[in-house]
Amino acid sequence: MFDLWGALVILIACPLLGGLPLIGWITSALKQKQLSQIGTGNVSVSAAFYHGGTFVGILAVLSEALKGVAAVLLSRAFFPAGSPWELIALIALVIGRYWMGRGAGTTNVVWGFLVHDPLVSGFTLFFAAISFLILRSRQIVKFGVLILLPLFVTFLHVGDIPRMMAATALAGLLGWIYTKIPDDMNLSAQEAQTESQPMLEFLRGDRAILSLDEELDAAIVGEKAATLSQIKRWGYPVPKGWVLGPGDDPASTEFLQPSELSPLVVRSSAIGEDSEQASAAGQYETVLHVTSQQELQEAIAQVQASYNHPSAVQYRRDRGSNDTAMAVLIQQQVQSVYSGVAFSRDPITQQGDAIVIEALPGSPTQVVSGKVTPEQYRAFVVETENFSSVQLEGQGRIPQALIKQVAYLTRRLEKRYHGIPQDIEWSYDGQTLWVLQARPITTLLPIWTRKIAAEVIPGVIHPLTWSINRPLTCGVWGEIFTLVLGDRALGLDFNQTATLHYSRAYFNASFLGEIFRRMGLPPESLEFLTRGAKMSKPSLESTWENLPGLMRLLRRELNLDQDFKQDYHNRFIPELSQLAQEDIDDLDASKLLERIDRILELLHRGTYYSILAPLSAALRQAIFRVKDGKIDNSVSPEVGALRSLSALAADAKQVLIKFEPGKVFEELAQTPEGEKILQQFDELLQDYGYLSEVGTDISVPTWRENPQPVKQMFVQLMQGNEPQTDAVDQINLVLPKKPKRSFVQRRVDLKGRVTEVYSRLLAELRWSFVALEKIWLKSGLLKETGDIFFLEFDEVRRLIAGSDSKLIAQLVKLVELRRSQFVQDSEFNQIPLLVYGNAPPHPLAPSAIYSDQILQGIPASHGQAEGRVKVLRNLQDIPQIDRETILVVPYTDSGWAPFLVRAGGLIAEAGGRLSHGAIVAREYGIPAVMDVRGATWLLQDGQRVRIDGSRGIVELSNDLRPE
């Protein structure tokens, strides 16, 4: 019992002792400075020396030393001397020191361990001192001690396993803390208290001058130097260089001996320069051709002084940037034969895949100075698993092979920076293509993407649809992100997740990438989950930091099926039954609003499942590597509707051996067997009447409201051969034999059930608004059918309340204006997949084909097919489709599914392996290629193409046949 009380006292008292901010109190009392609000924010011994001076620093050492000694002596009050509990007490002390006292606890451990085991402490301190004098690297010594400490304990106390484990845990804890908090020794020694500067300069032995070969911190040396060091460590050619940090002594560059044969260039690397927020291009000095030590010192002073030039100060002020400091970058100067700049995306047109390259013989300063007109080129890079190529536009004196090499380099660096457009400065010396600078093109941020949004809510979007879908989708994503991030989600505006451009939905790729990085996930995680894109490795440190939140998300994923079943039986089914029984034509406007609010409450929960279920299915499929063709999607409502319609068409063919396509339903009505078919057709419409051309857009009529497209498909199925379902039958036969496949299949089935519930709720929501619109049409408030979908939901509320007389007076004009904009946006046949910045220009046609005869997309359904193109931009006029037809569509929502099965192949501008079109194509063995950018614009009706659904390739032909 005594040991138990001892353990409790140690585990409670030591963290509290560690958390006592004695250093902060001492510094505040003697120097009136709050350490937590200056410098790095650490309340540490080094911070006390730096900001308080030698006397304050000595008192800080004594206070922390007493803590370490007290922790060990407290342990000895309950346990024998030398017990592992002394080390556990130090661990508890360090934890409190870090979490509450804002320090690392190094001084506590040094003095506490000295009392615990003087012999191990003596050996460790001796080796640390010798190593520092030889290596002059504080970083190496700091982490080296953490390795030596448990090793010495092991050698001197062989067999004492608990003590060895405790020493290892203590060293590991300190190492982890060192990676989490900034080091006060990295601050400028010149800005420290005068009496502390000599000691700090001695201890900062590894900070004499930094090299681009090291991993550099942008917060200390600026983005330019940090980026070049990163690119150099990735393996790209970057001229050898060194960095003089803010406040560092320029005399530390004396070892550099520039000459006429080996000149140097001195460049700015200001904190905040070349960042995503501001480029600061041209604001600071660059000094070329430095050929002596005296010129080097003058160039350093010149570059440092440029930070305070009036134009630079005004630039920072205009952008709301804080004044920070200037680091100086010194590099070997490249003897340029050709040089220039390259933009990975065109900053003028703000769209397309063109890489813009400007180049001239000689130095790159000629290009960026604007005094000489450079040669201009546009390059289009295509890299797939099977081939790579570069197409060039423009000719000049620069060798085309070099321009192609620059284009490859530029595109690869953009990929390294997660698709953020890059401004690259380069130089070629006759042998090597050097990277001189890389920075984000700030005018092209944020990046908005249609890649995922085109599937979530495709097509042109009405204001009412967007005013409902955006809060639902952004809100649920925000809840998911907050679940993982916890307090680190504070300050994030999740309404930034999506917006409308050209009346189409776009997701904020820059914002999502930042969120994923905070979550410890690669920034392209969403595309990996939804579209099968390649995913880079996440940062181990970030993943570890987010591990508790990721575990919470994992628990949600594991409980997803159980949670949905509970909501399905307790909420969704009872509410849907009640909604179906209501006669909405008898409800007045206020009652309809109450009904809409009830549906929206259910849709919020439904949106949660509609996001997590597909992502869960995709993640499981990727982890267990289950091929798309081995998955049964029959639970999905669109697949179920298609199967039922196909089976019914087969029965109808038995009744009508010969029939006239335009009179099928009249002829069926003439026989008892035919009437039974018609009755079953009506039942099918009742069962699947909630589906529509665009399942997530409430402005689009459902099948129940407009059954004509379903009737047309029914007739076409009767005219042609039945789709092949052998692949599906094989799936059903082998699926139960594979546990991994079954593990994935359960999530796919859940996704199908979620889709059904979500689609039913959206249909009920649409019907409620249609009923409300009828009331307003009758009263004269609205003029045309469909007007209500040009209002926003908040405006609908205000109109029902009748409290906004200004809105009522301007309503007709407002609807006309929005309808006009909607029609104008609808006429854009081709909109950009990516939009750069918040003010996109007028959409242009795609700027290039990937190669002369090939388009590249995502392989979605295996097999090959050859045939004539039929471009189908909407479902208003369904053409005749047969196995010779290669259907080209902008996207594939659930409503499209029944119209795809007759085609010989499918090409879609948007979508991935899990999109509706891909699922249906695999279901019936139809080759499909998704995400073929510009397909509906590049391909023409009657053009002959060959598609390979296994490789994601579309081969073009110039053979056109008049339609």
Side-chain angles (χ1 to χ4, degrees):
M1 182 61 70
F2 186 75
D3 289 350
L4 178 61
W5 278 107
L8 288 174
V9 169
I10 289 172
L11 296 177
I12 294 173
C14 288
L16 295 175
L17 179 63
L20 280 177
L22 298 181
I23 296 176
W25 293 343
I26 292 169
T27 309
S28 177
L30 298 180
K31 293 291 183 178
Q32 288 75 51
K33 292 182 179 181
Q34 300 297 325
L35 292 181
S36 61
Q37 299 175 10
I38 56 178
T40 63
N42 292 344
V43 185
S44 61
V45 169
S46 54
F49 273 106
Y50 188 93
H51 298 289
T54 304
F55 181 65
V56 171
I58 292 172
L59 290 179
V61 170
L62 292 175
S63 68
E64 295 306 308
L66 288 173
K67 285 185 183 179
V69 173
V72 173
L73 296 180
L74 177 65
S75 175
R76 290 184 180 180
F78 298 93
F79 300 98
S83 164
W85 276 101
E86 295 178 6
L87 298 183
I88 294 173
L90 289 177
I91 291 173
L93 184 74
V94 169
I95 290 173
R97 183 81 178 86
Y98 173 68
W99 288 109
M100 294 182 284
R102 305 186 70 170
T106 304
T107 307
N108 307 128
V109 172
V110 168
W111 289 90
F113 214 98
L114 186 62
V115 175
H116 167 72
D117 194 327
L119 189 59
V120 169
S121 298
F123 274 120
T124 304
L125 292 174
F126 174 76
F127 277 97
I130 295 299
S131 299
F132 183 76
L133 290 174
I134 296 174
L135 300 175
R136 297 292 294 164
S137 173
R138 184 169 39 82
Q139 196 78 351
I140 293 175
V141 172
K142 185 167 66 174
F143 284 95
V145 165
L146 299 182
I147 297 173
L148 289 174
L149 187 67
L151 286 178
F152 283 142
V153 170
T154 302
F155 291 147
L156 297 176
H157 302 283
V158 177
D160 193 344
I161 303 298
R163 185 187 292 204
M164 293 159 53
M165 293 176 62
T168 303
L170 179 60
L173 175 63
L174 284 173
W176 179 80
I177 290 174
Y178 290 158
T179 66
K180 304 305 292 183
I181 62 175
D183 193 341
D184 294 277
M185 290 294 179
N186 288 331
L187 297 173
S188 170
Q190 278 67 37
E191 295 180 12
Q193 291 291 309
T194 304
E195 68 268 24
S196 299
Q197 287 182 9
M199 180 193 66
L200 291 172
E201 289 174 350
F202 173 77
L203 292 176
R204 285 157 46 101
D206 60 334
R207 283 296 310 276
I209 190 166
L210 297 168
S211 165
L212 288 183
D213 295 320
E214 303 174 49
E215 183 175 354
L216 302 180
D217 186 350
I220 296 172
V221 301
E223 292 281 353
K224 182 183 293 182
T227 298
L228 285 176
S229 74
Q230 185 178 52
I231 292 173
K232 188 173 177 58
R233 285 181 286 108
W234 282 340
Y236 295 95
V238 173
K240 191 177 178 77
W242 303 267
V243 184
L244 198 64
D248 285 350
D249 186 359
S252 61
T253 63
E254 290 178 353
F255 72 96
L256 296 173
Q257 295 298 322
S259 66
E260 288 288 345
L261 295 177
S262 182
L264 298 176
V265 56
V266 181
R267 313 170 66 192
S268 65
S269 186
I271 314 300
E273 179 185 3
D274 289 349
S275 66
E276 291 186 21
Q277 287 71 41
S279 67
Q283 297 300 319
Y284 307 120
E285 292 285 347
T286 295
V287 182
L288 299 173
H289 205 69
V290 175
T291 59
S292 69
Q293 180 60 224
Q294 181 180 349
E295 288 182 6
L296 177 60
Q297 298 303 315
E298 292 173 353
I300 291 172
Q302 184 178 341
V303 170
Q304 289 174 332
S306 70
Y307 189 78
N308 295 315
H309 282 177
S311 61
V313 173
Q314 187 63 43
Y315 177 89
R316 295 195 298 270
R317 186 175 299 151
D318 291 342
R319 280 151 186 79
S321 303
N322 295 325
D323 287 337
T324 48
M326 169 75 80
V328 177
L329 175 60
I330 305 166
Q331 287 183 277
Q332 291 181 341
Q333 183 168 316
V334 176
Q335 303 303 312
S336 305
V337 178
Y338 302 106
S339 53
V341 296
F343 297 96
S344 64
R345 304 284 162 176
D346 191 332
I348 305 303
T349 65
Q350 297 182 239
Q351 55 186 289
D353 292 327
I355 297 171
V356 179
I357 300 170
E358 295 184 345
L360 273 177
S363 167
T365 56
Q366 299 179 83
V367 179
V368 298
S369 69
K371 297 177 181 178
V372 182
T373 302
E375 297 177 4
Q376 296 192 4
Y377 302 85
R378 288 167 64 85
F380 304 92
V381 176
V382 181
E383 290 185 280
T384 71
E385 295 180 0
N386 304 305
F387 67 91
S388 60
S389 66
V390 177
Q391 290 185 334
L392 286 182
E393 293 179 2
Q395 291 183 341
R397 292 171 292 173
I398 314 299
Q400 287 207 349
L402 175 60
I403 297 298
K404 288 184 177 182
Q405 191 178 352
V406 171
Y408 274 124
L409 171 68
T410 304
R411 183 62 77 232
R412 286 170 184 167
L413 284 176
E414 183 190 70
K415 288 182 179 179
R416 280 282 193 171
Y417 287 107
H418 314 299
I420 295 173
Q422 296 292 308
D423 172 358
I424 311 295
E425 189 175 321
W426 57 272
S427 187
Y428 178 68
D429 62 5
Q431 293 183 331
T432 303
L433 176 61
W434 297 95
V435 179
L436 304 183
Q437 184 170 307
R439 62 187 176 202
I441 306 177
T442 53
T443 57
L444 297 185
L445 296 176
I447 304 172
W448 300 93
T449 177
R450 281 278 290 158
K451 282 188 176 181
I452 303 162
E455 288 187 71
V456 175
I457 180 167
V460 190
I461 301 170
H462 289 75
L464 181 59
T465 299
W466 186 244
S467 67
I468 289 173
N469 282 40
R470 185 190 188 195
L472 282 173
T473 304
C474 295
V476 171
W477 273 117
E479 291 172 12
I480 294 172
F481 294 144
T482 303
L483 179 71
V484 177
L485 292 172
D487 292 341
R488 283 172 297 114
L490 295 175
L492 291 175
D493 181 6
F494 293 107
N495 285 324
Q496 296 181 32
T497 307
T499 194
L500 287 183
H501 293 303
Y502 318 113
S503 295
R504 274 88 166 181
Y506 282 82
F507 283 167
N508 190 333
S510 305
F511 182 64
L512 289 172
E514 172 60 27
I515 291 173
F516 284 134
R517 280 192 287 271
R518 288 196 189 190
M519 291 170 61
L521 300 171
E524 66 275 17
S525 298
L526 192 57
E527 281 202 45
F528 164 75
L529 291 174
T530 59
R531 303 164 56 79
K534 291 184 178 179
M535 186 167 70
S536 60
K537 292 182 179 179
S539 162
L540 182 60
E541 178 183 346
S542 182
T543 302
W544 175 261
E545 182 180 351
N546 288 280
L547 192 58
L550 292 172
M551 292 304 295
R552 289 193 295 270
L553 186 59
L554 177 61
R555 284 197 295 271
R556 290 282 186 95
E557 193 278 336
L558 294 174
N559 294 330
L560 197 61
D561 195 37
Q562 180 181 346
D563 291 343
F564 178 75
K565 284 180 180 177
Q566 184 174 347
D567 282 337
Y568 184 80
H569 293 293
N570 296 340
R571 299 180 63 182
F572 293 133
I573 290 301
E575 289 284 354
L576 280 169
S577 299
Q578 184 177 345
L579 290 169
Q581 293 170 11
E582 289 180 351
D583 188 351
I584 56 177
D585 292 331
D586 291 339
L587 300 179
D588 60 19
S590 60
K591 292 295 183 183
L592 284 170
L593 181 59
E594 291 177 8
R595 174 187 168 93
I596 289 168
D597 285 335
R598 282 165 48 207
I599 296 172
L600 288 177
E601 185 179 347
L602 291 169
L603 273 171
H604 183 271
R605 188 62 175 169
T607 302
Y608 166 79
Y609 291 115
S610 72
I611 289 175
L612 273 192
L615 294 185
S616 173
L619 184 61
R620 291 187 177 205
Q621 184 180 353
I623 292 173
F624 295 107
R625 298 182 179 179
V626 176
K627 295 181 179 179
D628 298 324
K630 299 298 183 182
I631 293 176
D632 178 10
N633 292 282
S634 59
V635 176
S636 298
E638 60 266 31
V639 175
L642 177 58
R643 287 188 175 183
S644 299
L645 195 65
S646 300
L648 197 58
D651 292 341
K653 286 178 65 175
Q654 300 298 319
V655 175
L656 297 179
I657 305 300
K658 294 181 180 180
F659 57 88
E660 187 175 341
K663 297 182 179 180
V664 166
F665 286 86
E666 291 85 346
E667 292 176 9
L668 284 173
Q670 295 174 7
T671 64
E673 295 83 358
E675 287 185 352
K676 184 178 179 181
I677 296 292
L678 293 178
Q679 182 182 353
Q680 291 174 339
F681 184 86
D682 290 338
E683 290 174 356
L684 184 146
L685 283 179
Q686 288 296 320
D687 290 339
Y688 296 102
Y690 56 86
L691 294 176
S692 70
E693 175 187 338
V694 184
T696 53
D697 190 346
I698 61 172
S699 68
V700 179
T702 61
W703 288 1
R704 191 180 84 175
E705 299 168 79
N706 180 25
Q708 188 58 37
V710 188
K711 289 182 177 181
Q712 190 173 351
M713 185 59 196
F714 177 72
V715 174
Q716 289 190 5
L717 287 172
M718 289 180 63
Q719 288 178 289
N721 295 323
E722 286 300 302
Q724 299 297 316
T725 58
D726 294 344
V728 180
D729 295 336
Q730 291 175 6
I731 292 172
N732 292 330
L733 286 173
V734 301
L735 185 61
K737 301 176 182 178
K738 299 286 186 179
K740 290 183 179 179
R741 195 176 300 153
S742 178
F743 191 65
V744 176
Q745 185 63 51
R746 288 197 297 271
R747 274 297 178 269
V748 174
D749 291 344
L750 174 64
K751 175 189 168 189
R753 295 195 298 273
V754 169
T755 300
E756 178 187 355
V757 168
Y758 196 68
S759 299
R760 286 183 181 277
L761 288 170
L762 285 174
E764 294 289 351
L765 186 64
R766 169 183 164 76
W767 296 331
S768 301
F769 279 113
V770 169
L772 180 60
E773 183 183 54
K774 290 178 181 177
I775 296 174
W776 286 347
L777 287 171
K778 188 175 181 179
S779 67
L781 188 62
L782 297 178
K783 302 302 181 184
E784 296 181 37
T785 300
D787 278 357
I788 195 170
F789 295 105
F790 291 102
L791 301 175
E792 295 182 357
F793 185 44
D794 180 63
E795 293 167 343
V796 172
R797 283 190 183 279
R798 282 148 48 199
L799 288 172
I800 292 175
S803 57
D804 194 335
S805 57
K806 185 177 179 181
L807 174 61
I808 295 172
Q810 297 178 347
L811 189 60
V812 174
K813 181 181 286 189
L814 178 66
V815 169
E816 287 179 355
L817 180 65
R818 289 177 180 172
R819 186 187 289 273
S820 174
Q821 183 65 53
F822 183 85
V823 171
Q824 179 182 330
D825 291 343
S826 301
E827 291 173 352
F828 295 144
N829 290 330
Q830 181 63 33
I831 61 169
L833 182 67
L834 297 176
V835 165
Y836 298 94
N838 290 314
H842 188 282
L844 301 174
S847 51
I849 300 177
Y850 291 101
S851 72
D852 290 337
Q853 297 297 324
I854 293 177
L855 297 176
Q856 176 73 36
I858 294 175
S861 180
H862 296 304
Q864 299 176 344
E866 187 171 348
R868 299 280 180 179
V869 163
K870 185 61 186 178
V871 178
L872 187 62
R873 293 193 174 93
N874 55 61
L875 296 180
Q876 302 305 312
D877 184 22
I878 307 299
Q880 289 294 322
I881 301 171
D882 56 30
R883 289 295 177 182
E884 288 295 314
T885 303
I886 304 298
L887 205 57
V888 182
V889 299
Y891 57 88
T892 53
D893 196 77
S894 57
W896 293 66
F899 309 102
L900 305 178
V901 296
R902 296 275 320 282
L906 173 66
I907 301 170
E909 285 187 322
R913 295 183 301 106
L914 299 179
S915 63
H916 298 281
I919 291 171
V920 172
R922 291 194 297 270
E923 182 86 3
Y924 290 98
I926 301 167
V929 181
M930 318 299 287
D931 197 32
V932 181
R933 299 171 63 175
T936 61
W937 185 87
L938 293 167
L939 300 174
Q940 303 176 47
D941 284 348
Q943 184 174 10
R944 195 159 191 85
V945 299
R946 184 174 183 272
I947 70 173
D948 187 331
S950 305
R951 295 189 300 157
I953 296 292
V954 179
E955 297 181 37
L956 311 182
S957 170
N958 293 324
D959 176 18
L960 289 173
R961 179 180 63 191
E963 293 281 316

